[in-house]
Amino acid sequence: MNMIETRNLTKSYGDFTAVSELSLHIPKGSVYGFLGPNGAGKSTTMKMFLGLTRPTSGTFKIDGKQYPKDRVAILKEIGSLIEAPAFYGNLTGEENLEIIRKILGLPKSAVDDALEMVGLMQFKKRLAKKYSLGMKQRLGLAGALLGQPPILILDEPTNGLDPVGIHEIRTLIRSLPQKFQCTVLVSSHLLSEIELMADEIGILNHGHLLFEGSLDQLKDGAARRGYPTENLEEMFLALIDEDNQRRGGQR
Amino acid sequence: MNFGIEWAKMKRSGFVPAFLAGGALGAFVPVIQMAVRSENDTGFLGKPLEILLEANWSMIAMLNVMLIVAGACMMYHIEYEERGIQKIRTLPTKEWHLTAGKFLILMIASFGALVLETVGLGGCGIYWFEISEDFFTELLKNMGYVMVLTLPTVIIMLMIASWFQNMWISLGIGVLCVFTATMRQTDNGLLSLFPFAMPFQTVYEANVNDLIAAAAEVIAFAMIGWGIEKIRKKTV
Ligand SMILES: Nc1ncnc2c1ncn2[C@@H]1O[C@H](COP(=O)(O)OP(=O)(O)OP(=O)(O)O)[C@@H](O)[C@H]1O
Ligand SMILES: [Mg+2]
């Protein structure tokens, strides 16, 4: 069963199409890696799921619910981190999470649970604007994880983290479906990163879906078409490059 | 609507100190004015409150609308500075809960300043004038009138502050509106319906029609704001 499903989802800004006829299938209980270069349309797609931006055409269903009719019901099930973390700089990390907790109507203990999970416990009394880049990212993640929502949408969650932090957060994301029975949609620029976390992969370029399936299917397909498969990054670059050529050499 | 959440957001933003300081300053306006020129004013004929308001109200009112302008800007600055509002928009809540909470807080804060100023005027009356019984009823009536007349400014300034992510633009528009309002003294016609000019009226100038006009403006602005929010949602 698919937790998130889109049909010909399209978003245009004027005559520029950021997301084009996207049909995604994100299985329940999986980590779905959403891969693509800068400007591919990853954040735009995620923003549509959250109602932050409105689709130009096409539809999507989340847990069987339809947007925009069931917007609030959909948002009840999603924890999200989109682009740079969004927070209140004049509040501490803990107070920021407290705001979200109150809106979600969760028990008080939820805040500490989330802080613990992202390793921010000892800094919870510090003002969020005084957080380092990585700490802000962790705060954003804690806001997404708050109350263990059945769906997580994480846009480049390892952005700004140090190598140890990256490893820690990847491990956390990998473990989420077993721990909380949730579905995770996570975006990244790196196939090597997605490989470590994801069960399913969707590759996006210039708003078009180039591939959807498991890593093995991706490797098989690539081998058949004569791409380098020993090095994942090279394979990904070759795939994107070929698509760019097909689009008339534009980047 | 969630008052508690909006209130919690205002921590350390300087909002409460600004209104306390502004209200205290407003309370001292008549005190200073009386201390400086008491011989002249107490000699005037007329009701003590009328004399006090005549001499001080335009200054106090200007302070109050400036406070509302600054307060509204502060409220939305904390939303836009680190994009806190975007996080809220991804949560299962409706935008009007946030707007209504902010309206209530800004309303209460500006009422608080008005209470302080009323205390200041009352003190001046007791200290410098021979006051009759109706001094305090009229003083309270004045406060009640101005509270109602303040509401259109509160709502429209919140709307302005919510439209511009750059606080300086909202602040600039607000200050311009306040200066436009101060021109009311020379023109008592249409400009007295201008939201920012309404609180400049005292109980001796305003009548029930002005209160009705203020209430109508609040309803009209709320509807316009609601419509604009609908459009914003459709165009993002
Ligand atoms: N509000 C907007 N108006 C116009 N164009 C926009 C707007 N938002 C996004 N775009 C364009 O849509 C395209 C996709 O942007 P998006 O942020 O979804 O990319 P992305 O895949 O998340 O990239 P990155 O990896 O850099 O985060 C880009 O070309 C971007 O410039
Ligand atoms: Mg992005």
Side-chain angles (χ1 to χ4, degrees), chain A residues 11 50 52-54 71-72 75-76 80 82 84-92 95 99-100 102-104 127 143, chain B residues 4-5 8-13 78-79 82-94 98 233-236:
Chain A
K11 176 70 189 181
L50 294 165
L52 287 173
T53 181
R54 194 169 257 262
R71 190 188 77 97
V72 172
L75 292 181
K76 268 203 182 97
S80 67
I82 295 292
F87 55 89
Y88 295 95
N90 56 315
L91 303 182
T92 64
E95 287 163 353
I99 300 261
I100 303 171
K102 280 188 192 147
I103 293 177
L104 294 173
L127 290 188
Chain B
I5 288 169
K9 286 182 191 169
M10 301 307 294
K11 252 191 194 171
R12 303 182 202 92
S13 64
I78 60 164
E79 294 287 354
E82 307 277 2
R83 305 182 313 130
I85 196 164
Q86 179 177 320
K87 179 71 210 174
I88 303 297
R89 283 177 180 153
T90 66
L91 298 174
T93 174
K94 297 207 157 110
L98 177 143
K233 271 234 182 84
K234 285 232 162 76
T235 51
V236 287

Side-chain angles (χ1 to χ4, degrees), chain A residues 13 16 18 37-44 83 156 189:
Chain A
Y13 296 104
F16 172 77
N38 289 133
K42 304 181 294 295
S43 301
T44 305
E83 291 180 331
E156 296 173 41
H189 299 124

Side-chain angles (χ1 to χ4, degrees), chain A residues 16-41:
Chain A
F16 172 77
T17 306
V19 174
S20 176
E21 308 264 320
L22 200 59
S23 296
L24 293 177
H25 308 83
I26 302 175
K28 187 171 180 165
S30 68
V31 175
Y32 188 101
F34 204 28
L35 196 63
N38 289 133

